[in-house]
Amino acid sequence: KLGGHGWGGGDLDNLKDALMLDRGSTVLTAEERGEALRRILEWERDHVDDLARHNSKAMLLRGAAGLAEESESEERKLIYKEVADLLGMEKGQKDKVASAVGPGALDASRALAGLNLTLTALLSTPCLQSPGCDVVAARFLKILNKQQVQKFLVWADGNAEGIDGVDYV
């Protein structure tokens, strides 16, 4: 379509179709899709691990600055004291730590641990190899032609937030 388009004139709808992303033309097997999902989930879990490590260090500095949460263990408070003695932070430094690391660091740590558990559980389930997606995709692809599938997928990408907000239950 693009090769036959006359620049400066012609059918605008045909031009948009020609320039559209080639979405929906690649059909993955259950194994390929499972492998792709596994790689994505592993990358996400690694990212969550990195965030958790950085958050732990921030919590350690916050505790060393004398800003430990009441709910924290005595063992952790002893570690904070050890780090505080090691660093010998001045009041100005402690104030900067307090402003840089908010009191929500402990909640963030718990949330990151929960997210890590969820990602680990997803990685250990056989659903990544489920043929159910192939069945649904095959039914979907039989109804729409290739151009319709591409248009729908591009539209869905652009409207993901609205689609996520629809309650199907």
mmCIF file of all heavy atoms in Angstrom, residues 126-157:
data_model
loop_
_atom_site.group_PDB
_atom_site.id
_atom_site.type_symbol
_atom_site.label_atom_id
_atom_site.label_comp_id
_atom_site.label_asym_id
_atom_site.label_seq_id
_atom_site.Cartn_x
_atom_site.Cartn_y
_atom_site.Cartn_z
ATOM 1 N N PRO A 126 2.589 -23.498 36.062
ATOM 2 C CA PRO A 126 2.592 -23.998 34.684
ATOM 3 C C PRO A 126 1.720 -23.165 33.742
ATOM 4 O O PRO A 126 1.671 -23.447 32.552
ATOM 5 C CB PRO A 126 2.026 -25.418 34.826
ATOM 6 C CG PRO A 126 1.224 -25.388 36.076
ATOM 7 C CD PRO A 126 1.878 -24.372 36.967
ATOM 8 N N CYS A 127 1.071 -22.118 34.240
ATOM 9 C CA CYS A 127 0.171 -21.336 33.384
ATOM 10 C C CYS A 127 0.905 -20.641 32.239
ATOM 11 O O CYS A 127 0.298 -20.285 31.237
ATOM 12 C CB CYS A 127 -0.608 -20.316 34.203
ATOM 13 S SG CYS A 127 0.403 -18.967 34.832
ATOM 14 N N LEU A 128 2.208 -20.471 32.369
ATOM 15 C CA LEU A 128 2.957 -19.816 31.295
ATOM 16 C C LEU A 128 2.977 -20.661 30.027
ATOM 17 O O LEU A 128 3.213 -20.155 28.942
ATOM 18 C CB LEU A 128 4.395 -19.525 31.744
ATOM 19 C CG LEU A 128 4.548 -18.551 32.911
ATOM 20 C CD1 LEU A 128 6.015 -18.378 33.240
ATOM 21 C CD2 LEU A 128 3.906 -17.220 32.612
ATOM 22 N N GLN A 129 2.747 -21.950 30.164
ATOM 23 C CA GLN A 129 2.739 -22.848 29.006
ATOM 24 C C GLN A 129 1.321 -23.243 28.602
ATOM 25 O O GLN A 129 1.127 -24.147 27.815
ATOM 26 C CB GLN A 129 3.533 -24.127 29.325
ATOM 27 C CG GLN A 129 4.966 -23.876 29.733
ATOM 28 C CD GLN A 129 5.815 -23.307 28.611
ATOM 29 O OE1 GLN A 129 5.586 -23.590 27.449
ATOM 30 N NE2 GLN A 129 6.796 -22.493 28.950
ATOM 31 N N SER A 130 0.328 -22.567 29.131
ATOM 32 C CA SER A 130 -1.067 -22.937 28.904
ATOM 33 C C SER A 130 -1.467 -22.807 27.437
ATOM 34 O O SER A 130 -1.257 -21.767 26.819
ATOM 35 C CB SER A 130 -1.986 -22.056 29.747
ATOM 36 O OG SER A 130 -3.326 -22.279 29.401
ATOM 37 N N PRO A 131 -2.086 -23.853 26.881
ATOM 38 C CA PRO A 131 -2.565 -23.758 25.503
ATOM 39 C C PRO A 131 -3.870 -22.959 25.408
ATOM 40 O O PRO A 131 -4.348 -22.702 24.316
ATOM 41 C CB PRO A 131 -2.780 -25.220 25.102
ATOM 42 C CG PRO A 131 -3.053 -25.917 26.381
ATOM 43 C CD PRO A 131 -2.246 -25.191 27.430
ATOM 44 N N GLY A 132 -4.439 -22.579 26.545
ATOM 45 C CA GLY A 132 -5.693 -21.826 26.537
ATOM 46 C C GLY A 132 -5.607 -20.539 25.746
ATOM 47 O O GLY A 132 -6.548 -20.157 25.053
ATOM 48 N N CYS A 133 -4.473 -19.869 25.815
ATOM 49 C CA CYS A 133 -4.281 -18.626 25.061
ATOM 50 C C CYS A 133 -4.323 -18.889 23.556
ATOM 51 O O CYS A 133 -4.841 -18.085 22.793
ATOM 52 C CB CYS A 133 -2.966 -17.969 25.433
ATOM 53 S SG CYS A 133 -2.949 -17.285 27.092
ATOM 54 N N ASP A 134 -3.749 -20.020 23.136
ATOM 55 C CA ASP A 134 -3.771 -20.360 21.722
ATOM 56 C C ASP A 134 -5.199 -20.559 21.228
ATOM 57 O O ASP A 134 -5.550 -20.142 20.124
ATOM 58 C CB ASP A 134 -2.955 -21.633 21.455
ATOM 59 C CG ASP A 134 -1.466 -21.411 21.643
ATOM 60 O OD1 ASP A 134 -1.013 -20.265 21.453
ATOM 61 O OD2 ASP A 134 -0.769 -22.372 21.971
ATOM 62 N N VAL A 135 -6.030 -21.204 22.046
ATOM 63 C CA VAL A 135 -7.421 -21.454 21.674
ATOM 64 C C VAL A 135 -8.167 -20.135 21.521
ATOM 65 O O VAL A 135 -8.864 -19.898 20.533
ATOM 66 C CB VAL A 135 -8.108 -22.372 22.719
ATOM 67 C CG1 VAL A 135 -9.594 -22.478 22.457
ATOM 68 C CG2 VAL A 135 -7.454 -23.741 22.716
ATOM 69 N N VAL A 136 -8.006 -19.249 22.506
ATOM 70 C CA VAL A 136 -8.679 -17.950 22.459
ATOM 71 C C VAL A 136 -8.170 -17.134 21.270
ATOM 72 O O VAL A 136 -8.963 -16.535 20.530
ATOM 73 C CB VAL A 136 -8.471 -17.170 23.790
ATOM 74 C CG1 VAL A 136 -8.981 -15.751 23.675
ATOM 75 C CG2 VAL A 136 -9.161 -17.902 24.931
ATOM 76 N N ALA A 137 -6.861 -17.114 21.062
ATOM 77 C CA ALA A 137 -6.288 -16.352 19.948
ATOM 78 C C ALA A 137 -6.783 -16.886 18.612
ATOM 79 O O ALA A 137 -7.104 -16.110 17.705
ATOM 80 C CB ALA A 137 -4.761 -16.390 20.010
ATOM 81 N N ALA A 138 -6.854 -18.206 18.478
ATOM 82 C CA ALA A 138 -7.322 -18.799 17.217
ATOM 83 C C ALA A 138 -8.769 -18.399 16.935
ATOM 84 O O ALA A 138 -9.108 -18.057 15.792
ATOM 85 C CB ALA A 138 -7.190 -20.323 17.274
ATOM 86 N N ARG A 139 -9.603 -18.417 17.951
ATOM 87 C CA ARG A 139 -11.002 -18.002 17.770
ATOM 88 C C ARG A 139 -11.070 -16.536 17.358
ATOM 89 O O ARG A 139 -11.840 -16.149 16.483
ATOM 90 C CB ARG A 139 -11.791 -18.214 19.054
ATOM 91 C CG ARG A 139 -12.068 -19.656 19.359
ATOM 92 C CD ARG A 139 -12.865 -19.771 20.642
ATOM 93 N NE ARG A 139 -12.965 -21.170 21.040
ATOM 94 C CZ ARG A 139 -13.241 -21.559 22.265
ATOM 95 N NH1 ARG A 139 -13.472 -20.676 23.207
ATOM 96 N NH2 ARG A 139 -13.317 -22.837 22.541
ATOM 97 N N PHE A 140 -10.291 -15.719 18.002
ATOM 98 C CA PHE A 140 -10.254 -14.288 17.728
ATOM 99 C C PHE A 140 -9.789 -14.024 16.302
ATOM 100 O O PHE A 140 -10.379 -13.235 15.569
ATOM 101 C CB PHE A 140 -9.328 -13.633 18.750
ATOM 102 C CG PHE A 140 -9.128 -12.156 18.590
ATOM 103 C CD1 PHE A 140 -10.171 -11.273 18.784
ATOM 104 C CD2 PHE A 140 -7.879 -11.645 18.270
ATOM 105 C CE1 PHE A 140 -9.979 -9.905 18.654
ATOM 106 C CE2 PHE A 140 -7.681 -10.283 18.142
ATOM 107 C CZ PHE A 140 -8.742 -9.419 18.331
ATOM 108 N N LEU A 141 -8.732 -14.712 15.889
ATOM 109 C CA LEU A 141 -8.164 -14.486 14.570
ATOM 110 C C LEU A 141 -9.070 -14.990 13.449
ATOM 111 O O LEU A 141 -8.987 -14.509 12.320
ATOM 112 C CB LEU A 141 -6.780 -15.120 14.477
ATOM 113 C CG LEU A 141 -5.713 -14.472 15.371
ATOM 114 C CD1 LEU A 141 -4.418 -15.266 15.324
ATOM 115 C CD2 LEU A 141 -5.466 -13.021 14.985
ATOM 116 N N LYS A 142 -9.935 -15.954 13.743
ATOM 117 C CA LYS A 142 -10.867 -16.450 12.728
ATOM 118 C C LYS A 142 -11.984 -15.450 12.449
ATOM 119 O O LYS A 142 -12.549 -15.423 11.368
ATOM 120 C CB LYS A 142 -11.484 -17.783 13.167
ATOM 121 C CG LYS A 142 -10.539 -18.945 13.032
ATOM 122 C CD LYS A 142 -11.226 -20.228 13.462
ATOM 123 C CE LYS A 142 -10.255 -21.388 13.405
ATOM 124 N NZ LYS A 142 -10.869 -22.640 13.870
ATOM 125 N N ILE A 143 -12.295 -14.620 13.426
ATOM 126 C CA ILE A 143 -13.389 -13.653 13.284
ATOM 127 C C ILE A 143 -12.934 -12.429 12.498
ATOM 128 O O ILE A 143 -13.636 -11.945 11.611
ATOM 129 C CB ILE A 143 -13.915 -13.220 14.671
ATOM 130 C CG1 ILE A 143 -14.516 -14.425 15.392
ATOM 131 C CG2 ILE A 143 -14.928 -12.094 14.543
ATOM 132 C CD1 ILE A 143 -14.817 -14.159 16.854
ATOM 133 N N LEU A 144 -11.753 -11.910 12.825
ATOM 134 C CA LEU A 144 -11.246 -10.679 12.213
ATOM 135 C C LEU A 144 -10.206 -10.990 11.136
ATOM 136 O O LEU A 144 -9.481 -11.970 11.238
ATOM 137 C CB LEU A 144 -10.602 -9.800 13.287
ATOM 138 C CG LEU A 144 -11.487 -9.392 14.468
ATOM 139 C CD1 LEU A 144 -10.668 -8.640 15.494
ATOM 140 C CD2 LEU A 144 -12.670 -8.572 14.007
ATOM 141 N N ASN A 145 -10.137 -10.113 10.133
ATOM 142 C CA ASN A 145 -9.068 -10.280 9.157
ATOM 143 C C ASN A 145 -7.791 -9.633 9.700
ATOM 144 O O ASN A 145 -7.805 -8.986 10.741
ATOM 145 C CB ASN A 145 -9.464 -9.721 7.779
ATOM 146 C CG ASN A 145 -9.674 -8.215 7.798
ATOM 147 O OD1 ASN A 145 -8.910 -7.467 8.409
ATOM 148 N ND2 ASN A 145 -10.716 -7.760 7.108
ATOM 149 N N LYS A 146 -6.677 -9.815 9.001
ATOM 150 C CA LYS A 146 -5.370 -9.361 9.489
ATOM 151 C C LYS A 146 -5.351 -7.854 9.776
ATOM 152 O O LYS A 146 -4.852 -7.416 10.808
ATOM 153 C CB LYS A 146 -4.283 -9.722 8.474
ATOM 154 C CG LYS A 146 -2.898 -9.340 8.919
ATOM 155 C CD LYS A 146 -1.845 -9.725 7.894
ATOM 156 C CE LYS A 146 -0.475 -9.256 8.332
ATOM 157 N NZ LYS A 146 0.554 -9.637 7.380
ATOM 158 N N GLN A 147 -5.906 -7.060 8.866
ATOM 159 C CA GLN A 147 -5.912 -5.607 9.064
ATOM 160 C C GLN A 147 -6.753 -5.229 10.289
ATOM 161 O O GLN A 147 -6.394 -4.321 11.036
ATOM 162 C CB GLN A 147 -6.440 -4.880 7.819
ATOM 163 C CG GLN A 147 -5.495 -4.912 6.639
ATOM 164 C CD GLN A 147 -5.536 -6.244 5.893
ATOM 165 O OE1 GLN A 147 -6.494 -7.002 5.998
ATOM 166 N NE2 GLN A 147 -4.479 -6.546 5.161
ATOM 167 N N GLN A 148 -7.866 -5.912 10.490
ATOM 168 C CA GLN A 148 -8.709 -5.618 11.650
ATOM 169 C C GLN A 148 -7.981 -5.962 12.946
ATOM 170 O O GLN A 148 -8.069 -5.220 13.918
ATOM 171 C CB GLN A 148 -10.031 -6.387 11.562
ATOM 172 C CG GLN A 148 -10.962 -5.868 10.499
ATOM 173 C CD GLN A 148 -12.169 -6.771 10.312
ATOM 174 O OE1 GLN A 148 -12.052 -7.988 10.319
ATOM 175 N NE2 GLN A 148 -13.331 -6.144 10.138
ATOM 176 N N VAL A 149 -7.268 -7.078 12.943
ATOM 177 C CA VAL A 149 -6.504 -7.466 14.138
ATOM 178 C C VAL A 149 -5.448 -6.409 14.431
ATOM 179 O O VAL A 149 -5.290 -5.962 15.566
ATOM 180 C CB VAL A 149 -5.857 -8.860 13.955
ATOM 181 C CG1 VAL A 149 -4.868 -9.157 15.077
ATOM 182 C CG2 VAL A 149 -6.915 -9.940 13.888
ATOM 183 N N GLN A 150 -4.708 -5.975 13.399
ATOM 184 C CA GLN A 150 -3.688 -4.955 13.588
ATOM 185 C C GLN A 150 -4.284 -3.660 14.111
ATOM 186 O O GLN A 150 -3.762 -3.060 15.057
ATOM 187 C CB GLN A 150 -2.942 -4.704 12.277
ATOM 188 C CG GLN A 150 -2.063 -5.856 11.856
ATOM 189 C CD GLN A 150 -1.488 -5.662 10.469
ATOM 190 O OE1 GLN A 150 -1.957 -4.842 9.693
ATOM 191 N NE2 GLN A 150 -0.466 -6.444 10.146
ATOM 192 N N LYS A 151 -5.378 -3.221 13.518
ATOM 193 C CA LYS A 151 -6.031 -1.984 13.965
ATOM 194 C C LYS A 151 -6.494 -2.105 15.411
ATOM 195 O O LYS A 151 -6.324 -1.183 16.210
ATOM 196 C CB LYS A 151 -7.230 -1.655 13.071
ATOM 197 C CG LYS A 151 -6.848 -1.149 11.712
ATOM 198 C CD LYS A 151 -8.088 -0.880 10.876
ATOM 199 C CE LYS A 151 -7.740 -0.421 9.474
ATOM 200 N NZ LYS A 151 -8.931 -0.145 8.682
ATOM 201 N N PHE A 152 -7.089 -3.253 15.738
ATOM 202 C CA PHE A 152 -7.579 -3.435 17.105
ATOM 203 C C PHE A 152 -6.425 -3.420 18.109
ATOM 204 O O PHE A 152 -6.519 -2.780 19.152
ATOM 205 C CB PHE A 152 -8.354 -4.755 17.233
ATOM 206 C CG PHE A 152 -8.793 -5.025 18.637
ATOM 207 C CD1 PHE A 152 -9.837 -4.301 19.210
ATOM 208 C CD2 PHE A 152 -8.157 -5.984 19.398
ATOM 209 C CE1 PHE A 152 -10.228 -4.527 20.518
ATOM 210 C CE2 PHE A 152 -8.552 -6.216 20.710
ATOM 211 C CZ PHE A 152 -9.587 -5.493 21.266
ATOM 212 N N LEU A 153 -5.316 -4.111 17.800
ATOM 213 C CA LEU A 153 -4.189 -4.150 18.731
ATOM 214 C C LEU A 153 -3.547 -2.774 18.908
ATOM 215 O O LEU A 153 -3.173 -2.399 20.017
ATOM 216 C CB LEU A 153 -3.156 -5.185 18.271
ATOM 217 C CG LEU A 153 -3.627 -6.646 18.346
ATOM 218 C CD1 LEU A 153 -2.582 -7.562 17.740
ATOM 219 C CD2 LEU A 153 -3.965 -7.049 19.766
ATOM 220 N N VAL A 154 -3.429 -2.010 17.837
ATOM 221 C CA VAL A 154 -2.889 -0.653 17.948
ATOM 222 C C VAL A 154 -3.835 0.212 18.783
ATOM 223 O O VAL A 154 -3.409 0.969 19.657
ATOM 224 C CB VAL A 154 -2.640 -0.034 16.549
ATOM 225 C CG1 VAL A 154 -2.327 1.451 16.653
ATOM 226 C CG2 VAL A 154 -1.504 -0.769 15.852
ATOM 227 N N TRP A 155 -5.145 0.079 18.534
ATOM 228 C CA TRP A 155 -6.125 0.833 19.322
ATOM 229 C C TRP A 155 -6.043 0.436 20.793
ATOM 230 O O TRP A 155 -6.058 1.294 21.678
ATOM 231 C CB TRP A 155 -7.540 0.586 18.800
ATOM 232 C CG TRP A 155 -8.581 1.278 19.616
ATOM 233 C CD1 TRP A 155 -9.036 2.555 19.450
ATOM 234 C CD2 TRP A 155 -9.276 0.754 20.749
ATOM 235 N NE1 TRP A 155 -9.967 2.845 20.414
ATOM 236 C CE2 TRP A 155 -10.135 1.747 21.227
ATOM 237 C CE3 TRP A 155 -9.239 -0.477 21.411
ATOM 238 C CZ2 TRP A 155 -10.953 1.569 22.332
ATOM 239 C CZ3 TRP A 155 -10.058 -0.657 22.512
ATOM 240 C CH2 TRP A 155 -10.905 0.357 22.954
ATOM 241 N N ALA A 156 -5.947 -0.875 21.063
ATOM 242 C CA ALA A 156 -5.880 -1.356 22.443
ATOM 243 C C ALA A 156 -4.627 -0.829 23.140
ATOM 244 O O ALA A 156 -4.680 -0.464 24.324
ATOM 245 C CB ALA A 156 -5.916 -2.880 22.473
ATOM 246 N N ASP A 157 -3.491 -0.762 22.435
ATOM 247 C CA ASP A 157 -2.272 -0.196 23.022
ATOM 248 C C ASP A 157 -2.488 1.256 23.422
ATOM 249 O O ASP A 157 -2.061 1.693 24.490
ATOM 250 C CB ASP A 157 -1.105 -0.271 22.031
ATOM 251 C CG ASP A 157 -0.533 -1.667 21.902
ATOM 252 O OD1 ASP A 157 -0.864 -2.537 22.731
ATOM 253 O OD2 ASP A 157 0.253 -1.885 20.958
#
